[in-house]
Amino acid sequence: MAEREALYQKALAAIQAHQMIQPGDTVAAGVSGGADSVALLDFLRHLRRSVPFTLLVCHLDHQLRGEESRRDAAFVRELAERWGLPYRCRQADAAAWARLHRLTVEEAGRQLRYAFFQECAGETGKIATAHTLSDSMETVLLNLCRGTGPRGLRGIPPVRGNIIRPLFACTRREVEDYCQERGLAFVTDSTNLLPDYSRNRIRLEVLPRLELLNPALPAAFARFMDRMADQWALTRQLAEEARETIRRPDGRLDRQGLLSLPPPVREAILLELLETAGKQSARLVEEMERAARRGSGEVQLGETVFFTADQETVGLVSRRREAESPPPLAVELDLLSLARPLVLPLGGGRTLRIAPAEGKKEKLAEKINKSALKNCLDCGRIKGTVILRRKQPGDRMAPAWRRAGSHPLKKLCQEADVPPEKRGMLVVAQDAEGIIWAEGFGADRRCAWREDSRLGCVWEVITEGNDDEG
């Protein structure tokens, strides 16, 4: 029985110790199809025998791995149906979201996942994710390499708001043993096996070497992270007390009072301000501290939230940014004669690169990633002159990644949460019959690269200052 297995007992202890699930709760479980999430879902469905709650299976297809992504979604759907659980799935173009919001693809995927899970859970529901002790160990080492304090050395907390992590005390080895003992099938994300990402290198190369030094490394890490969590809790308590002593009647903080605090306490106060804007970023905290030391300037924390400093005070202000007036754009393109990459400035620190592409679809896919393949046009299907211009009211297209139908660009922007003030900056290309490509949404179905395509071009929008944080 699952109830007798080590993972089940650890997860049950976590549920009870942190009061993660109460009778009557709605729990949206994020299930990728990997071993961790399948083990989590199996644990939760058995837990319902003793704690009655509503369990939803939620899967987000990031559209980053082509056929493999579709395989994962189908696997999770079949698993939910076999176990009689309600299933929610959504497709989201994480690569396009990353470009539009100047994020790494990893951070874009994280934002899209949690937004979808929150929607499934509802206002009062909870989100269950399959983070394990092994994930926390990787996170601590990543944060250590980037330079961090006690906050970054706590690992992944078992509870954060309405997000619960029942497997936080279980190792990946225990997860795999549980799946084997229970006969649970799962799928493997092929990118997890490639040393292309920092987290993968830590998982595949660093941790195995550290375990040679100490075979009991997971237990040692758990003790260390518990101590760092206690240290951070104490720092937060001191910060709360200090904030009250430097708070002014208008709610802003006394600048000199803030600067006189011990650095860990000052950092905790700035972090709390940043979290108020829904952000977590060491870089932004550093910018906030520099502004406080100068006694002037502002740091944008969100679409409408700014940290401001003057000679007397620091604090948050909320104001709506004025929409950027996009520079005019109307460029005629000769794609059939394109012999070398064409680079065009778009404004707003963005550049469009159009590069020629030849060969069969499978050969082309070996040269560029799958996200870029979505932005590849078949020049043979283009009708008449091509004009590159700004998005206009009434524009419609049929994105190749949608199964059917054409859609207003306004609706596509709303679905992708593109802020209204940024929509006027988006560029599209049209031929004699309509839009053939749109920034962030790729090729129109009519002109998309196909199995029989031979001559095409790949479109890429490059944003200046795109970094690798997160």
Side-chain angles (χ1 to χ4, degrees), residues 185-258:
F186 54 87
V187 293
T188 301
D189 181 343
S190 60
T191 63
N192 289 339
L193 306 176
L194 302 174
D196 297 338
Y197 301 98
S198 299
R199 183 176 290 273
N200 286 3
R201 290 196 292 272
I202 287 176
R203 178 187 304 135
L204 300 172
E205 301 170 12
V206 178
L207 281 172
R209 290 182 178 273
L210 291 178
E211 287 184 333
L212 292 176
L213 298 175
N214 181 6
L217 189 68
F221 254 93
R223 291 193 299 272
F224 171 74
M225 290 186 292
D226 284 344
R227 293 191 182 103
M228 291 299 101
D230 291 341
Q231 292 271 6
W232 179 246
L234 177 59
T235 302
R236 289 296 292 259
Q237 180 181 341
L238 293 173
E240 289 175 8
E241 296 170 356
R243 187 180 62 249
E244 293 307 311
T245 66
I246 63 174
R247 187 192 300 274
R248 293 197 167 198
D250 62 357
R252 290 177 66 80
L253 304 180
D254 181 81
R255 186 176 76 92
Q256 290 299 336
L258 177 70

Side-chain angles (χ1 to χ4, degrees), residues 231-370:
Q231 292 271 6
W232 179 246
L234 177 59
T235 302
R236 289 296 292 259
Q237 180 181 341
L238 293 173
E240 289 175 8
E241 296 170 356
R243 187 180 62 249
E244 293 307 311
T245 66
I246 63 174
R247 187 192 300 274
R248 293 197 167 198
D250 62 357
R252 290 177 66 80
L253 304 180
D254 181 81
R255 186 176 76 92
Q256 290 299 336
L258 177 70
L259 296 177
S260 68
L261 295 173
V265 177
R266 182 169 64 247
E267 179 186 22
I269 291 176
L270 294 176
L271 273 169
E272 185 179 11
L273 291 174
L274 182 60
E275 289 171 353
T276 300
K279 293 291 184 67
Q280 294 184 16
S281 167
R283 176 181 59 80
L284 287 176
V285 171
E286 291 173 359
E287 291 183 15
M288 293 163 71
E289 176 149 359
R290 283 197 293 268
R293 290 193 176 281
R294 289 194 308 268
S296 64
E298 65 180 27
V299 181
Q300 185 172 355
L301 307 183
E303 288 297 328
T304 61
V305 181
F306 296 79
F307 173 83
T308 63
D310 56 41
Q311 289 299 309
E312 299 295 329
T313 65
V314 300
L316 300 183
V317 297
S318 179
R319 64 173 180 268
R320 181 161 296 280
R321 291 187 308 172
E322 294 183 3
E324 183 178 358
S325 178
L329 179 68
V331 179
E332 183 174 323
L333 302 175
D334 183 4
L335 299 180
L336 291 175
S337 301
L338 191 65
R340 59 176 58 86
L342 175 66
V343 178
L344 298 167
L346 301 179
R350 291 145 51 249
T351 302
L352 174 65
R353 182 179 185 272
I354 307 175
E358 297 182 8
K360 295 182 179 180
K361 186 173 184 180
E362 59 271 18
K363 293 297 183 181
L364 182 61
E366 294 175 2
K367 300 178 183 179
I368 63 175
N369 60 48
K370 292 181 175 61

Side-chain angles (χ1 to χ4, degrees), residues 23 30 122 184 232 262 280 399 413 460:
L184 301 175
W232 179 246
Q280 294 184 16
C413 287
E460 179 185 12

Side-chain angles (χ1 to χ4, degrees), residues 93 95-97 99-100 375 401 416 418 426-427 437-442 461:
D93 193 333
W97 180 270
R99 290 192 299 272
L100 288 170
N375 291 275
W401 44 269
V418 181
L426 298 182
V427 295
W437 174 88
E439 179 182 356
F441 303 105
V461 176

Side-chain angles (χ1 to χ4, degrees), residues 34 42 48 84 104 133 158 184 194 221 282 367 381 385 387 410:
D42 186 70
R48 291 195 304 164
T104 64
L133 175 57
L184 301 175
L194 302 174
F221 254 93
K367 300 178 183 179
R381 291 185 165 87
T385 302
I387 300 294
K410 179 179 179 180

